[in-house]
């Protein structure tokens, strides 16, 4: 199983030139189709239904009636091309259909054909077209080459967000029995077991026990990793990758040390042992709600006063922007913290108020740059001020390491590039796409590695971390460059009172 | 008076199509639920801030400025020029134009040139840049052509084949009183009016609607307000 | 989609993971490894065997950290690294070793 080997990065300093678009370069790239059992577990038809074209158009009509964004975005595009060179997948693949407007037009054609007078009258002249088998195939291929990162929406003069269209297209495909294996299998595991990984409660308990042992051996402090503790102050909801993968686990250790040092009682839940909500990726409000309700149930069951989210990009989008609507009201929480908080908000606040102290010398030799994760950057906030999602993680990194370096300004903050694995694409069957999609980020990383001696790339999203761990070596970087935000905290935090 | 009757019918139909079409579309947008807040962040936390954000987008195109500066320039030339031209045209429909409309006659002429320059740049961009050419539909060229013809016929009347403005004004004033007054028969004027009427009539069912759609665009128009204790429902 | 061993056909999914994990045997593990381009050594088997033991108890593959810790306890400190595991299983210790061990693929953001 050899990985795709990308051409070397551009030797110059700066971002790579924009490729000239070509048709069909990535036409063969498509993720595995979900098996009937995976689809049925979510209430979707097992296989492509007989009258799929009719039912897909009908589903589009329903979505149009229920989602203003979809309707406005399908109407508003003037085809100016401002978005065309903004998508990491276009920049990395050169496939014409990976220009956001071209991707949108795959859906817009069907909308025009069935829902606009111009499309009905003029057909292809107005860009309208039927959802025939060829178009359905291109939907499946290219709407699974969008990581729903919203970078295009930042630049669109109408604010059109391709993510909304790709979510709608995936929802329509699911409704006719054409689901994607990776997302649907995972959502099924959340319902059956409680998390994306399929980690059963006894395994989770064993993993946490092991971590307590490790931290005790390494630090001499009795840092706890509580599970299902009733009456705890804080319920921590974190991606299950934090229990499993590297460097995610090191982030989890960081959260635990922060809670420990701040004297906050906290607990994980074996029922809501997952922050991620892949319902977002497949554009299904219903699935998103079902997954979100698990968090509500766990919070009520354990009687916690606050809900805190660990490092997961899209989970934080759902938590920050959607959770109240999906699973609210959260009126049982402490009125001072009526909304979910991000662990970075807690840590940054503790650093400011002196509740914890970080010693950058503990991370001596590290020169760190920060990858702003797309859903955190463009779909959420931290703290009270807009832009806190950028300033708070930076405050934490600066406090934890001797030197922090920014990457090219066109690749950070709300202009950040997706890691190439978001939006339900973090699967081995899309590895070539993932490697190509990471290219713009890798180019920006190369610049700071060469110019500023950056040694580590920090992220606060489980997908980003797994994706980069996988693709860094393809571009000649060491996979161990990848660090979790709270890994830096965990390594730098001074535990106990004696050391203060 | 057959020609006058036809022109009157065209104008009335176009104006009605615009009013009815636009109203229907706006009502449809406003009534379609937006259950989830979808602001592209960082976003203002309040409704006033979000409205200002949309206002800025409509007037200054800041997102486009960040995306592509030559495109911003072309778009700004066209839209600014169009705004000046429309303001200038008010004197044809208002019996006694207010002072500001009179004052805009000079800039309005300049506006015509700016608008045409913008259109030419947009057209060149669409045909010369491969990326943009690849995403262009036939109708995209169609709208450009239509606007160029309207602008061209207008400029022709301003600089070359001057038309009988007094006669035109009398004709339009007559329409308000449901009275058919003779219309000057210049081909440039007839073409200008018919094409403009077509544009107006088709606006609500075409991409030219984009300015109105922007007002409802959730990524720009919704506030990032979920922390202010505000429950949102469709 | 199937492996063949001793004339028997053992089905696997698109990615080579066994459809029925009960059909695994050590020789089959060897066949899968060969398909993956790996020459199995005692060090490889050590990892595969630990994965299977852990799976038998917890119905999931162990975290990388648990794996390195176990290997260290059993086999010594030089095995206490991620890098050691990636050297053995270049496609990622969790996924590739699970495949050879006949276990389901770990899913999610990993």
């Amino acid at each position: 199983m050899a990985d795709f080997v990308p051409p070397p990065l551009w030797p110059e300093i700066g971002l790579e030139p924009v490729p000239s678009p070509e048709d069909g370069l990535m036409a063969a790239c498509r993720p595995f189709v979900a098996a009937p059992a995976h689809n049925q577990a979510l209430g979707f038809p097992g296989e492509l239904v007989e009258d799929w074209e009719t039912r897909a158009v009908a589903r589009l009509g329903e979505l149009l009636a229920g989602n203003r964004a979809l309707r406005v975005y399908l109407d508003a595009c003037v085809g100016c091309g401002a978005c065309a060179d903004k998508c990491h997948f276009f920049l990395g693949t050169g496939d014409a259909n990976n220009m956001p407007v071209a991707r949108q037009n795959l859906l817009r054609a069907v909308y025009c054909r069935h829902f606009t007078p111009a499309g009905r009258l003029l057909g292809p002249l107005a860009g309208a077209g039927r959802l025939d088998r060829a178009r359905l195939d291109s939907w499946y291929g290219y709407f699974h080459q969008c990581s729903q990162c919203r970078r295009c929406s930042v630049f669109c003069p109408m604010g059109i967000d391709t993510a909304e269209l790709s979510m709608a297209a995936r929802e329509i495909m699911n409704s006719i029995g054409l689901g994607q294996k990776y997302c649907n299998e995972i959502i099924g595991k959340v319902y059956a077991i409680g998390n994306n990984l399929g980690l059963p409660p006894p395994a989770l308990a064993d993993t946490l026990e092991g971590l307590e042992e490790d931290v005790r051996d390494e630090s001499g402090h009795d840092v706890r990793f509580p599970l299902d503790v009733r009456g705890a102050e804080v319920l921590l909801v974190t991606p299950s990758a934090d229990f499993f993968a590297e460097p995610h686990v090191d982030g989890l250790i960081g959260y635990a040390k922060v809670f420990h040092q701040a004297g906050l009682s906290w607990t994980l839940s074996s029922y809501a042992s997952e922050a991620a909500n892949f319902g977002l990726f497949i554009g299904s409000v219903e699935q998103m709600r079902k997954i979100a309700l698990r968090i509500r149930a766990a919070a009520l069951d354990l009687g916690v006063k606050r809900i805190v989210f660990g490092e997961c990009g899209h989970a934080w989008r759902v938590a920050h922007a959607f959770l109240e609507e999906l699973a609210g009201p959260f009126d049982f929480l402490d009125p001072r913290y009526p909304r979910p908080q991000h662990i970075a908000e807690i840590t940054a606040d503790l650093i400011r108020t002196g509740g914890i102290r970080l010693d950058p010398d503990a991370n001596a030799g590290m020169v760190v740059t920060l990858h702003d994760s797309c859903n955190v950057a463009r779909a959420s906030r931290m703290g009270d001020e807009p832009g806190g999602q950028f300033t708070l993680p930076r405050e934490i990194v600066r406090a934890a390491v001797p030197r922090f370096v920014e990457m090219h300004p066109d690749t950070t903050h709300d202009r950040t590039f997706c890691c190439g694995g978001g939006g339900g694409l973090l699967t081995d069957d899309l590895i070539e796409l993932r490697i190509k999609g990471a290219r713009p980020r890798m180019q920006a990383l190369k610049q700071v590695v060469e110019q500023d001696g950056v040694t580590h790339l920090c992220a606060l999203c489980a997908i980003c971390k797994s994706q980069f761990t996988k693709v860094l070596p393809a571009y000649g970087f060491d996979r161990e460059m990848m660090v979790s935000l709270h890994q830096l905290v965990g390594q730098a935090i001074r535990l106990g009172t004696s050391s203060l | 008076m057959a020609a006058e009757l036809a022109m009157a019918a065209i104008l009335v139909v176009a104006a009605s199509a615009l009013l009815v079409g636009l109203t229907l579309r706006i009502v449809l947008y406003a009534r379609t639920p937006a259950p989830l807040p979808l602001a592209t962040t960082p976003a203002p936390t309040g409704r006033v801030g979000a409205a200002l954000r949309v206002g800025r987008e409509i007037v200054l195109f800041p997102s486009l400025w960040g995306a592509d500066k030559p495109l911003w320039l072309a778009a700004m030339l066209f839209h600014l020029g169009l705004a000046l031209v429309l303001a200038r045209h008010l004197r044809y429909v208002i019996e006694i134009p207010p002072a500001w409309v009179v004052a805009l006659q000079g800039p309005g002429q300049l506006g015509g040139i700016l608008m045409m320059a913008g259109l030419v740049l947009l057209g060149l961009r669409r045909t010369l840049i491969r990326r943009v050419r690849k995403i262009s539909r036939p109708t995209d060229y169609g709208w450009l052509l239509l606007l160029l013809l309207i602008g061209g016929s207008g400029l022709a009347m301003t600089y070359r084949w001057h038309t009988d403005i007094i006669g035109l004004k009398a004709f339009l004033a007559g329409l308000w009183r449901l009275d058919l007054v003779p219309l000057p028969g210049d081909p440039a004027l007839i073409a200008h009016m018919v094409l403009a009427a077509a544009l107006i009539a088709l606006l609500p069912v075409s991409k030219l609607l984009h300015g109105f759609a922007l007002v409802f665009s959730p990524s720009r128009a919704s506030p990032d307000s979920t922390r202010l204790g505000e429950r949102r429902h469709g | 989609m199937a492996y063949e061993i001793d004339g028997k056909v053992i089905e696997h999914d698109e990615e080579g993971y066994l459809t029925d994990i009960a059909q695994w045997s050590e020789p089959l593990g060897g066949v899968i490894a060969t398909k993956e381009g790996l020459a199995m050594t005692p060090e490889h088997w050590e990892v595969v065997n630990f994965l299977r033991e852990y799976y038998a108890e917890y119905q999931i593959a162990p975290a990388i950290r648990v794996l390195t810790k176990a290997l260290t306890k059993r086999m010594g400190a030089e095995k206490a690294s991620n890098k050691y595991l990636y050297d053995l299983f270049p496609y990622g210790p969790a996924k590739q070793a699970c495949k050879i061990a006949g276990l389901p693929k770990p899913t999610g953001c990993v």
Side-chain angles (χ1 to χ4, degrees), chain A residues 408-478:
Chain A
H408 193 292
D410 281 348
T411 75
T412 60
H413 296 78
D414 59 341
R415 296 181 161 216
T416 188
F417 276 113
C418 165
C419 63
L425 309 183
L426 190 79
T427 177
D428 293 338
D429 33 325
L430 292 175
I431 192 66
E432 180 180 336
L433 177 78
R434 286 166 53 190
I435 291 175
K436 288 177 171 173
R439 192 174 181 89
R441 169 50 77 223
M442 292 295 105
Q443 183 70 31
L445 178 64
K446 172 178 162 285
Q447 180 172 346
V448 289
V449 166
E450 288 173 0
Q451 287 191 322
D452 305 285
V454 160
T455 60
H456 288 84
L457 173 65
C458 174
L460 53 160
C461 165
I463 289 177
C464 296
K465 294 173 201 173
S466 291
Q467 159 75 352
F468 285 136
T469 308
K470 185 81 206 169
V471 303
L472 279 165
Y475 288 98
F477 299 109
D478 185 353

Side-chain angles (χ1 to χ4, degrees), chain A residues 263-318:
Chain A
L264 266 169
S265 75
W266 68 291
T267 186
L268 290 155
S269 155
S270 57
Y271 180 73
S273 48
E274 183 59 67
N277 192 326
F278 279 26
L280 178 72
F281 297 159
I282 63 168
S284 166
V285 175
E286 196 192 327
Q287 308 294 333
M288 206 159 46
R289 176 170 284 122
K290 263 179 89 174
I291 298 169
L293 282 170
R294 298 178 71 92
I295 295 169
R296 177 188 175 84
L300 280 169
D301 180 44
L302 296 170
V304 298
K305 293 282 160 239
R306 296 161 73 172
I307 301 176
V308 173
F309 275 74
E311 297 178 9
C312 176
H314 79 281
W316 180 236
R317 176 182 193 185
V318 174

Side-chain angles (χ1 to χ4, degrees), chain A residues 313-434:
Chain A
H314 79 281
W316 180 236
R317 176 182 193 185
V318 174
H320 170 78
F322 303 159
L323 207 65
E324 182 75 10
E325 174 67 27
L326 293 173
F330 286 89
D331 45 7
F332 55 89
L333 295 176
D334 183 334
R336 287 172 302 163
Y337 307 102
R339 297 283 176 277
Q341 289 177 284
H342 195 285
I343 183 73
E345 296 180 301
I346 295 195
T347 302
D349 196 44
L350 286 165
I351 294 172
R352 282 181 194 168
T353 56
I356 58 172
R357 294 207 182 172
L358 303 189
D359 174 14
D361 288 343
N363 287 317
M366 287 179 102
V367 182
V368 178
T369 191
L370 182 76
H371 167 78
D372 287 294
S373 300
C374 52
N375 272 299
V376 174
R378 290 187 280 263
S380 80
R381 172 164 44 108
M382 290 180 193
D384 297 326
E385 296 300 320
Q389 68 269 38
F390 309 127
T391 51
L392 266 56
R394 281 168 175 74
E395 273 177 36
I396 295 172
V397 176
R398 283 179 201 278
V401 301
R403 188 152 167 248
F404 169 72
V405 172
E406 286 280 10
M407 283 183 278
H408 193 292
D410 281 348
T411 75
T412 60
H413 296 78
D414 59 341
R415 296 181 161 216
T416 188
F417 276 113
C418 165
C419 63
L425 309 183
L426 190 79
T427 177
D428 293 338
D429 33 325
L430 292 175
I431 192 66
E432 180 180 336
L433 177 78
R434 286 166 53 190

Side-chain angles (χ1 to χ4, degrees), chain B residues 202-220:
Chain B
L202 293 175
L203 186 140
V205 291
S206 72
K207 71 171 190 176
L208 305 182
L209 186 72
H210 60 279
F212 297 91
L214 174 54
V215 174
F216 294 93
S217 176
S219 71
R220 299 291 183 266

Side-chain angles (χ1 to χ4, degrees), chain A residues 83-377:
Chain A
C83 62
D85 57 348
K86 303 302 187 288
C87 173
H88 55 291
F89 283 127
F90 172 64
L91 295 173
T93 65
D95 187 309
N97 273 341
N98 278 331
M99 293 187 285
V101 49
R103 195 188 314 284
Q104 293 169 20
N105 283 346
L106 296 173
L107 175 60
R108 193 170 282 121
V110 179
Y111 167 73
C112 282
R113 169 74 179 72
H114 294 277
F115 298 94
T116 71
R120 284 197 201 104
L121 289 172
L122 299 176
L125 291 177
R130 269 187 54 202
L131 182 62
D132 53 15
R133 185 69 221 201
R135 190 178 301 275
L136 183 63
D137 285 343
S138 65
W139 275 27
Y140 191 76
Y142 289 104
F143 285 117
H144 289 110
Q145 295 183 41
C146 167
S147 56
Q148 307 173 341
C149 81
R150 312 187 95 201
R151 190 168 193 267
C152 49
S153 82
V154 170
F155 297 98
C156 173
M158 258 46 81
I160 298 170
D161 180 5
T162 312
E164 285 299 310
L165 271 56
S166 100
M167 288 170 189
R170 292 188 195 178
E171 160 68 17
I172 293 168
M173 288 189 281
N174 268 319
S175 76
I176 57 172
L178 184 60
Q180 182 220 21
K181 179 184 174 191
Y182 174 71
C183 282
N184 289 6
E185 182 182 19
I186 280 175
I187 294 174
K189 282 194 187 179
V190 174
Y191 297 151
I193 304 172
N195 52 65
N196 288 4
L197 198 56
L199 186 74
L204 176 56
D206 177 69
T207 304
L208 296 175
E209 225 170 87
L211 290 178
E212 288 183 355
E213 234 176 75
D214 293 353
V215 175
R216 195 158 47 233
D217 290 350
E218 158 254 329
S219 72
H221 288 274
D222 207 8
V223 174
R224 306 300 311 277
F225 289 75
L227 179 64
D228 295 330
V229 174
R230 271 169 218 284
E233 165 93 4
V234 170
L235 169 65
L236 178 76
V237 185
T238 206
S240 58
D242 283 1
F243 309 127
F244 191 84
E246 307 283 340
H248 310 59
V249 176
D250 303 287
L252 175 62
I253 293 173
Y255 318 150
K257 287 181 175 174
V258 168
F259 286 128
H260 172 88
Q261 191 58 20
L264 266 169
S265 75
W266 68 291
T267 186
L268 290 155
S269 155
S270 57
Y271 180 73
S273 48
E274 183 59 67
N277 192 326
F278 279 26
L280 178 72
F281 297 159
I282 63 168
S284 166
V285 175
E286 196 192 327
Q287 308 294 333
M288 206 159 46
R289 176 170 284 122
K290 263 179 89 174
I291 298 169
L293 282 170
R294 298 178 71 92
I295 295 169
R296 177 188 175 84
L300 280 169
D301 180 44
L302 296 170
V304 298
K305 293 282 160 239
R306 296 161 73 172
I307 301 176
V308 173
F309 275 74
E311 297 178 9
C312 176
H314 79 281
W316 180 236
R317 176 182 193 185
V318 174
H320 170 78
F322 303 159
L323 207 65
E324 182 75 10
E325 174 67 27
L326 293 173
F330 286 89
D331 45 7
F332 55 89
L333 295 176
D334 183 334
R336 287 172 302 163
Y337 307 102
R339 297 283 176 277
Q341 289 177 284
H342 195 285
I343 183 73
E345 296 180 301
I346 295 195
T347 302
D349 196 44
L350 286 165
I351 294 172
R352 282 181 194 168
T353 56
I356 58 172
R357 294 207 182 172
L358 303 189
D359 174 14
D361 288 343
N363 287 317
M366 287 179 102
V367 182
V368 178
T369 191
L370 182 76
H371 167 78
D372 287 294
S373 300
C374 52
N375 272 299
V376 174

